[in-house]
Amino acid sequence: MPADKKKLHFCVFPHGGPLAWRIAGSTTEGYLDFEWYKRVARTAEEGLFDALFIADNVAINHWLTGMAAADRIGNAVCFEPFTLLSALAAVTEHIGLMATASTTYNHPFHVARMFASLDHLSGGRAGWNVVTSKSPSEAANFGLLDEIKSADRYVRANEFVDVVKGLWDSWDDDAFVRDKQTGAFYDASKMHPLNHAGAQFRVEGPLNVPRPPQGHPVLCQAGQSEDGLNLAARTADLIFNNKHSVEGNRALRADVRARAAKAGRDPDELLFMPGVFVVVGGTEEEARRKITDARDSVDETTAKRFLQPFLPSIDLMPMEFDAPPPDTPDVREAAGSMGVVLEEDGRRLSIRQLCTSFGNHWRQFELVGTPEQIADRMAEWFEAGVIDGFNLMTLTNPDGYADIAEGVVPLLQKRGIYREGYEGKTLRETLGLSRPGLG
Ligand SMILES: Cc1cc2nc3c(=O)[nH]c(=O)nc-3n(C[C@H](O)[C@H](O)[C@H](O)COP(=O)(O)O)c2cc1C
């Protein structure tokens, strides 16, 4: 197998869905238990995974779930991502550390400084999941009566990212000479104040942190709207999505690559990673039983209260739990705009299946079976040339990741599409991305 053959990349999304904490074997205090995070991160390193991805919101209840089900939600409370990832940086060596940070409820100077610091602390392993924070509950924490309109959030986000990248370029890599003889701590000719004056921000700079080891920490984006896709194409290295098929991924990839080329970027610099929910069993039946047991861990009332805000045009409460919701234009439209996929393999899903798959794993595409079946399916998607890797969710962590590391990874290695060891030091090197030069 040629050493330079393209390899699959794995990110891990350890928080699971909002109702996953009730599944047998799930940790109930996981999101506030540092030892648990350590085990997850170390399992990911044993599996030679690329990065740990910490989703985040700046409000107690997860976006869009509505207050009716808020007290049922496991990730209602969690650590602030930078604090957590700084601590994890000290107990890990290779795994990338990706924090979610909002462009709506932060200032670019703070964000540039935090990511530059995390990148230095971790030896070049920081990544930024750029989000624009769409929920009213987040707006309410920052003195607003309602969420900011999507278009306005993205206008701010575009300028925000440009300012952050500009601040990361405040210094040449070799600006800090620290010469005791001459007394020069830095070479002033290698300092580049930003002097940014735009419609949204005025930022003089320079940043009070040296240039990050990666030049720019890795940027990732998961926005699915037109504006979200344009922001991703213009600025992101890594694109997460929730597409459930090879065809869906092919179309998204072609679309975003065309947008990137139009924005003057090399489309090969963008990596695409759909979310997948992986459940491994000794046999397919055993793996399927794990999913059914997980479904049964959520009671009908909670499940319906949880899904209700996603399908506002119907009243779920009186409906049969094991039948699909009505197939009406209203339902289809609401589901489409909220990202609720109503069918799988041509079959309409029951309300129970919709609620629990949403609650347990945000309706990520399900890959369920033996290690061989899962490796075959991953290879099929990868070899179709439509994805670069997967953002992995499992039923319970870290054992779900251990199942992948021990069962699936060796099979992918045998096919020559998974690394045999970490080749580089930084997250960019691990992902095969180039280091940006000074802008
Ligand atoms: C895999 C994945 C992870 C996401 N993580 C977060 C997150 O941590 N915080 C957040 O506010 N939004 C998160 N989102 C939501 C997106 O950032 C985005 O707001 C959403 O997809 C709607 O797209 P739009 O804003 O372009 O309309 C995530 C979306 C996906 C698909």
Side-chain angles (χ1 to χ4, degrees):
M1 205 56 62
D4 61 353
K5 185 171 171 181
K6 239 172 120 347
K7 303 285 193 285
L8 260 175
H9 299 286
F10 283 165
C11 290
V12 302
F13 189 166
H15 282 181
L19 303 179
W21 66 280
R22 289 176 71 180
I23 298 169
S26 272
T27 164
T28 48
E29 58 278 291
Y31 310 142
L32 297 168
D33 176 358
F34 186 62
E35 290 304 314
W36 178 81
Y37 278 107
K38 251 163 68 177
R39 290 203 307 278
V40 168
R42 285 178 174 164
T43 306
E45 286 194 330
E46 278 157 26
L48 306 173
F49 298 174
D50 295 72
L52 195 64
F53 163 61
I54 304 297
D56 192 51
N57 299 91
V58 280
I60 183 167
N61 64 320
H62 210 290
W63 66 289
L64 290 177
T65 50
M67 290 312 285
D71 66 334
R72 310 276 134 164
I73 288 169
N75 43 0
V77 288
C78 58
F79 290 133
E80 185 287 311
F82 282 94
T83 316
L84 170 66
L85 292 178
S86 303
L88 281 174
V91 294
T92 54
E93 224 182 309
H94 300 286
I95 193 83
L97 304 165
M98 301 207 310
T100 297
S102 169
T103 54
T104 301
Y105 303 116
N106 275 306
H107 190 281
F109 194 92
H110 287 314
V111 168
R113 190 180 185 205
M114 291 189 291
F115 277 105
S117 300
L118 182 62
D119 209 44
H120 280 284
L121 279 169
S122 62
R125 292 186 282 139
W128 174 19
N129 177 35
V130 180
V131 298
T132 66
S133 307
K134 65 194 292 180
S135 79
S137 52
E138 294 177 288
N141 286 338
F142 295 88
L144 302 173
L145 294 177
D146 206 348
E147 77 259 39
I148 302 169
K149 283 207 288 299
S150 174
D152 296 338
R153 280 188 279 114
Y154 276 105
V155 167
R156 181 181 164 100
N158 274 283
E159 192 176 325
F160 194 113
V161 173
D162 291 345
V163 172
V164 169
K165 287 186 172 184
L167 286 168
W168 286 334
D169 290 344
S170 290
W171 303 93
D172 287 1
D173 292 310
D174 58 354
F176 291 86
V177 290
R178 300 180 183 92
D179 188 334
K180 285 191 175 165
Q181 216 67 51
T182 63
F185 191 72
Y186 64 81
D187 178 344
S189 70
K190 296 184 175 182
M191 178 185 90
H192 313 288
L194 185 61
N195 294 318
H196 174 86
Q200 309 284 321
F201 305 105
R202 296 179 74 83
V203 182
E204 188 175 282
L207 193 66
N208 53 350
V209 184
R211 194 154 196 263
Q214 297 185 94
H216 298 173
V218 171
L219 253 69
C220 96
Q221 236 280 309
Q224 303 295 302
S225 61
E226 274 294 299
D227 289 337
L229 296 175
N230 285 333
L231 176 67
R234 202 173 74 74
T235 66
D237 302 296
L238 202 65
I239 291 154
F240 288 149
N241 76 75
N242 199 3
K243 301 282 172 221
H244 281 215
S245 65
V246 168
E247 282 324 307
N249 277 283
R250 193 190 305 284
L252 178 81
R253 185 185 186 90
D255 179 1
V256 177
R257 281 173 60 91
R259 290 174 201 247
K262 214 164 145 198
R265 295 184 68 199
D266 174 1
D268 289 340
E269 285 282 307
L270 277 69
L271 301 177
F272 293 81
M273 289 201 200
V276 287
F277 175 63
V278 178
V279 183
V280 184
T283 61
E284 187 179 339
E285 293 66 41
E286 185 194 315
R288 295 220 170 270
R289 199 163 48 248
K290 288 188 192 175
I291 296 249
T292 317
D293 291 349
R295 274 190 190 137
D296 292 343
S297 69
V298 180
D299 62 275
E300 180 171 344
T301 308
T302 296
K304 286 180 169 174
R305 276 167 64 193
F306 173 72
L307 192 70
Q308 185 63 74
F310 294 86
L311 298 176
S313 65
I314 49 172
D315 180 6
L316 288 172
M317 281 305 163
M319 289 182 182
E320 171 56 51
F321 200 31
D322 284 308
D327 189 15
T328 62
D330 271 7
V331 170
R332 282 199 297 273
E333 194 190 319
S337 71
M338 296 293 198
V340 182
V341 182
L342 295 168
E343 293 180 1
E344 192 83 50
D345 295 331
R347 275 180 311 109
R348 299 188 62 232
L349 298 173
S350 68
I351 292 173
R352 181 197 299 269
Q353 287 169 316
L354 289 172
C355 293
T356 52
S357 60
F358 231 76
N360 286 340
H361 58 85
W362 286 118
R363 267 309 277 125
Q364 307 287 328
F365 178 67
E366 292 179 6
L367 267 181
V368 185
T370 61
E372 289 75 13
Q373 287 172 313
I374 290 167
D376 282 351
R377 202 73 191 274
M378 285 182 163
E380 183 195 318
W381 283 39
F382 184 58
E383 282 158 6
V386 299
I387 56 137
D388 300 286
F390 295 100
N391 193 18
L392 305 170
M393 291 180 91
T394 65
L395 260 181
T396 57
N397 301 318
D399 49 314
Y401 292 133
D403 288 344
I404 298 171
E406 290 158 20
V408 181
V409 162
L411 299 172
L412 296 171
Q413 285 170 326
K414 227 182 255 172
R415 288 172 177 258
I417 57 170
Y418 197 85
R419 65 171 64 89
E420 299 282 342
Y422 286 104
E423 296 101 9
K425 276 245 156 273
T426 69
L427 177 56
R428 279 189 178 276
E429 287 164 355
T430 300
L431 289 167
L433 294 168
S434 59
R435 185 178 189 270
L438 219 55

